[in-house]
Amino acid sequence: MDELLLDISENLVSQRDISAFGRTNKRLHIVLNTYLYRYNVQVFGGSGLWWAVEQGQEAATRKFLEGGVDVQAKGPYGHTPLSWAAMKGCDTVVKLLLDTGKVDVDSEHDLGYTPLSWAAMEGHDAVVKLLLDTGKVDVDSKHSGGRTPLSWAAVRGNGAVVKLLLDTGKVDVDSKDSGGRTPLSCAAMEGHDAVVKLLLDTGKVDVDSKDSQGQTPLSWAAVGGDDAIVKLLLDTDKVDVDSKDSQGRTPLFRAAVGGNDAIVKLLLDTEKVDVNAKDVSSWTPLSWAAMEGHDAVVKLLLDTGKVDVDSEHGLGYTPLSWAAMKGHDAVVKLLLDTSKVDVDSKDRNGRTPLSSATMGGHDGVVELLLNTGGGRRLKR
């Protein structure tokens, strides 16, 4: 009887017809279920396997494997069933595929992602463990942008994956991507303090590695405003707190630009930073903070007693000029209260702080300047 049913099935022309025939009764379903998987493999190259993997269907995947599906067949964008399952985090399916002993554990996606890269990027630690346990994966494989699985896990803040990779003792903790960023730089840039700590705890990372823009992990943490990461890096006592990037900007400069006063304080407290360091355009941390109206940062810088309050930008603008031009009353007051600023300073266009404030309609600033001894002498 079973042979007759299979003979009938072989004369049906579509999977839909076979499936419909199989649903007629329980006996037919039992007989034809396996045949339907084998039919998909023989006629459609096992296209149904991609659905099974997508849905994490362990039983269906097993049926396709029993039907002789090619586990190395490549689908969209160069995915293999293994890389697809790894990306989706289907650990039971990944185990089934690995157990065949026929999969290439380092098969590459069109952009160079391996199954381990996908699992690390997406934070699927169970899958990462399965792949590492094979003892066959390249833990430092790089995709087209030069990122390793460790770099991807660091970028995404996947701490459990980072720990698994570090525990292999085989990963290059200072591998650089195409932008010259190490896993530590990536984690610092994205604000993943737990990952930063894991990497620092190895005692093997270069805490001052520079990327293609000349930025260090400390610089990136200052940009991101993450004071917890800044503290972790400073606590190593190995970072160059005054390292300059390709624009000549130090971590202090970057923190001042962003108005990150907590980080500015941490850096100033080291007593190792140059508070007057100029970038390639002659900006200082004070002049930029004044322009942006970051009064808390301005106060911290002034309180050091070391800043040049009249440092000039390339166009002749002083911190007071910038604050007056932008209408930042609080900053103007802080600067005037030092009694050290030149209220008559002129920019390249011959404008004084008072004339700039007047042109901008900043009445509060105008009043502050006129109420100073020098303000009364100013020409509008």
Side-chain angles (χ1 to χ4, degrees):
M1 175 63 75
D2 290 352
E3 289 78 7
L4 176 61
L5 294 173
L6 290 172
D7 284 341
I8 294 171
S9 299
E10 287 174 358
N11 285 285
L12 298 176
V13 296
S14 73
Q15 292 182 97
R16 180 177 295 178
D17 290 342
I18 297 171
S19 181
F21 185 42
R23 290 197 300 271
T24 303
N25 61 52
K26 187 175 181 180
R27 172 75 180 278
L28 282 171
H29 176 75
I30 294 170
V31 173
L32 297 182
N33 185 256
T34 300
Y35 174 77
L36 186 60
Y37 283 98
R38 189 167 66 249
Y39 178 88
N40 180 271
V41 171
Q42 292 172 348
V43 179
F44 297 100
S47 61
L49 176 62
W50 297 98
W51 170 85
V53 171
E54 170 85 26
Q55 301 299 318
Q57 293 289 329
E58 182 181 357
T61 300
R62 193 184 300 277
K63 288 284 187 182
F64 278 112
L65 294 175
E66 291 169 353
V69 71
D70 180 5
V71 292
Q72 288 294 87
K74 290 204 170 187
Y77 308 106
H79 271 295
T80 61
L82 180 62
S83 63
W84 193 255
M87 182 180 73
K88 295 294 181 181
C90 305
D91 50 302
T92 54
V93 172
V94 167
K95 188 174 187 311
L96 278 175
L97 292 167
L98 291 175
D99 287 347
T100 66
K102 298 177 181 179
V103 293
D104 177 4
V105 292
D106 281 329
S107 59
E108 291 189 355
H109 173 273
D110 287 351
L111 294 177
Y113 298 102
T114 63
L116 183 61
S117 299
W118 281 117
M121 186 192 318
E122 299 298 334
H124 301 313
D125 48 301
V127 173
V128 168
K129 188 174 187 312
L130 284 168
L131 292 167
L132 292 175
D133 286 348
T134 66
K136 298 177 182 178
V137 291
D138 178 2
V139 292
D140 280 329
S141 61
K142 291 189 174 185
H143 90 310
S144 57
R147 283 184 177 167
T148 62
L150 180 62
S151 294
W152 276 118
V155 166
R156 296 292 183 88
N158 299 324
V161 173
V162 168
K163 189 173 188 313
L164 283 168
L165 292 167
L166 291 176
D167 285 348
T168 66
K170 298 176 181 178
V171 291
D172 178 2
V173 292
D174 281 329
S175 61
K176 292 192 173 187
D177 62 20
S178 57
R181 288 178 288 273
T182 63
L184 181 61
S185 289
C186 291
M189 177 174 60
E190 297 296 334
H192 302 311
D193 51 306
V195 172
V196 167
K197 188 175 188 311
L198 283 169
L199 292 166
L200 291 176
D201 285 348
T202 66
K204 298 177 181 178
V205 292
D206 179 1
V207 293
D208 276 331
S209 61
K210 288 193 172 187
D211 62 19
S212 57
Q213 299 173 45
Q215 290 191 242
T216 62
L218 181 61
S219 176
W220 277 117
V223 169
D226 199 310
D227 51 304
I229 292 178
V230 168
K231 190 171 188 314
L232 283 169
L233 292 166
L234 292 177
D235 285 348
T236 67
D237 204 29
K238 296 177 181 178
V239 292
D240 178 2
V241 292
D242 259 347
S243 62
K244 288 191 172 186
D245 59 28
S246 58
Q247 292 180 289
R249 296 178 175 179
T250 63
L252 177 64
F253 194 109
R254 292 287 182 180
V257 168
N260 300 315
D261 51 295
I263 293 176
V264 168
K265 187 175 188 313
L266 283 169
L267 293 167
L268 291 175
D269 286 348
T270 67
E271 298 184 351
K272 297 177 182 179
V273 292
D274 178 2
V275 292
N276 292 310
K278 290 189 174 185
D279 71 1
V280 294
S281 299
S282 297
W283 290 89
T284 64
L286 179 63
S287 57
W288 198 285
M291 183 190 71
E292 293 292 344
H294 300 317
D295 50 295
V297 171
V298 168
K299 187 176 188 311
L300 284 168
L301 292 168
L302 292 175
D303 286 348
T304 66
K306 298 176 182 179
V307 290
D308 178 1
V309 292
D310 282 329
S311 60
E312 289 191 358
H313 173 266
L315 296 175
Y317 299 116
T318 64
L320 181 62
S321 301
W322 279 118
M325 189 189 313
K326 297 292 183 177
H328 300 313
D329 306 42
V331 174
V332 169
K333 187 175 189 311
L334 284 168
L335 291 166
L336 292 176
D337 285 348
T338 65
S339 299
K340 297 177 182 178
V341 291
D342 179 4
V343 292
D344 289 326
S345 64
K346 290 183 178 182
D347 61 28
R348 293 276 180 86
N349 296 313
R351 295 193 185 106
T352 63
L354 181 58
S355 59
S356 293
T358 303
M359 288 176 64
H362 306 306
D363 296 341
V365 173
V366 169
E367 185 176 351
L368 283 168
L369 290 167
L370 288 175
N371 286 337
T372 65
R376 287 191 293 272
R377 297 194 301 271
L378 294 175
K379 295 179 180 179
R380 298 195 188 185

